[in-house]
Amino acid sequence: MNLTQVIKKQARSLGFSLVGVTGCDPVPHVEVFQAWLAQGRCGEMAYLNSERSRQMRAHPGLLLPGCRSILVLATRYLTPSPLHLGAGPNHQLHGRIAAYAWGEDYHEVLPGRLRALVEYIEGQVGHAVPNRCYTDTGPILERELAQRAGLGWIGKNTSLISPSGGSYYLLAEVLLGLELEPDPPVVADRCGTCQRCVAACPTACILPDRTLDARRCISYLTIELKGSIPPELRTTIQGWVFGCDVCQQVCPWNRFAAGEESPLFDHRLADSSPDLLTELGLSNVAFNRKYRHSPLSRTKRRGYLRNISVALGNLRDNGAVPALTEVIMHEPEALVRSHAAWALGRIRTQASEQALKQALDREADVLVISEIHSALESIVPNSNNR
């Protein structure tokens, strides 16, 4: 085996399911990314639109002076089973979490594997090799590089799709000051005329140019967005409380995908369908203890309980009223109280109306007061249905 083949074999032994090599040349379709930014579709993710970010993403070689090759790697994670919004076992109310977040936070685990791979490469060549490693952490267009390295093509749902393994992969890259044998890019579009992901997207955020409007994407709304979720989009979030898998779940390429899932996800730090009432009662200490090594820590407690409240509002189950009342009366975070108010307005019972009126008498935050008024207005016209 030549050096490139030896490195690929070692990468697979470290748990990377797919391995490819490409050069450090400028990215060919960067104008799509530039147009996406210009149209404001990155939402509040302003870091994507900095001058440095745009330059680096267009020219990956700038990330490592003397870059000669880029190793692109993919780690397969657990494939989710279809879940349905609604009451779970024992009449408990359950939400949904994107499959990649069931296990350990890949930001904590994959960098160690990448460093181990670099050390192996240096051992093979007998000297230090200039390198930079990334896994969803740097200004780099990962899917573009993965397609160019032969790992798959960018599907209509914007995910990288491997013809053998589907799309449930986490991507990582190692830029090297070392010449490796590049792989041929994937040029065929194997989505064909299929529109299942486009049709299934709850918020209609998938665009014709294989990008999506992040401002409408459930993953963005439940993770990246730090403030209030736009009221007009809350019902479309359904029961998702962290991320979303819908566009992948309906993809035919995932139906019969083969491939070994990474041991990284053998044990779960997060339940795929959490009990919403239990989660709504998490204190700061309990949340940090439970999700310290999970991707869910990204939302922080306030964002997670905001999402939980929205899911409960979409379920519209009377059994959630006591928990939501406790939140709107005693929760210190105004963001959580405001979304609990919305949820109570969605449930539309006498008890939820009473809770909203009691909260209004003691509330001082302008945002929460506005949400309470809106919730009460939604209940009054339906008072005959109580």
Side-chain angles (χ1 to χ4, degrees), residues 46-171:
Y47 61 88
L48 295 174
N49 204 15
S50 69
E51 178 64 25
R52 178 181 181 274
S53 171
R54 293 196 303 270
Q55 288 291 326
M56 296 294 185
R57 291 174 199 274
H59 304 278
L62 294 176
L63 292 164
L64 178 69
C67 180
R68 300 177 67 185
S69 301
I70 302 177
L71 266 174
V72 186
L73 310 111
T75 303
R76 185 174 174 82
Y77 59 91
L78 289 171
T79 302
S81 300
L83 296 173
H84 301 283
L85 177 65
N90 303 320
H91 305 290
Q92 295 173 336
L93 302 177
H94 290 258
R96 303 170 71 177
I97 291 175
Y100 83 88
W102 296 350
E104 294 186 58
D105 189 345
Y106 62 94
H107 295 99
E108 295 185 8
V109 178
L110 293 185
R113 296 183 179 186
L114 296 174
R115 288 191 296 270
L117 183 57
V118 170
E119 290 174 3
Y120 176 82
I121 293 170
E122 291 178 334
Q124 289 295 304
V125 299
H127 57 78
V129 176
N131 68 88
R132 294 291 297 272
C133 300
Y134 296 101
T135 175
D136 188 32
T137 51
I140 190 166
L141 294 177
E142 294 186 305
R143 285 163 291 185
E144 284 277 353
L145 293 177
Q147 181 173 7
R148 202 166 75 181
L151 271 59
W153 75 97
I154 299 175
K156 292 180 181 178
N157 62 1
T158 78
S159 296
L160 182 85
I161 303 176
S162 161
S164 61
S167 64
Y168 291 103
Y169 288 100
L170 302 168
L171 297 178

Side-chain angles (χ1 to χ4, degrees), residues 8 44 58 63 99 120 167 179 217 229 256 336 344-345 357:
K8 288 182 176 181
E44 294 182 2
L63 292 164
Y120 176 82
S167 64
E179 192 76 41
C217 176
I229 296 174
F256 305 109
V336 182
L344 287 166
K357 289 180 177 178

Side-chain angles (χ1 to χ4, degrees), residues 45 77 96-101 157-159 201-203 205 212-226 229 233 236-237 240-248 295 298-299 303 306-307:
M45 297 181 288
Y77 59 91
R96 303 170 71 177
I97 291 175
Y100 83 88
N157 62 1
T158 78
S159 296
C201 178
T203 62
C205 75
L212 53 81
D213 190 336
R215 298 167 298 183
R216 298 184 60 85
C217 176
I218 292 175
S219 288
Y220 170 84
L221 294 171
T222 58
I223 302 173
E224 301 296 339
L225 182 66
K226 304 308 178 187
I229 296 174
L233 293 176
T236 64
I237 290 175
W240 292 101
V241 296
F242 188 90
C244 178
D245 285 324
V246 170
C247 66
Q248 296 191 89
R298 289 177 59 192
T299 65
R306 171 201 64 185
N307 301 340

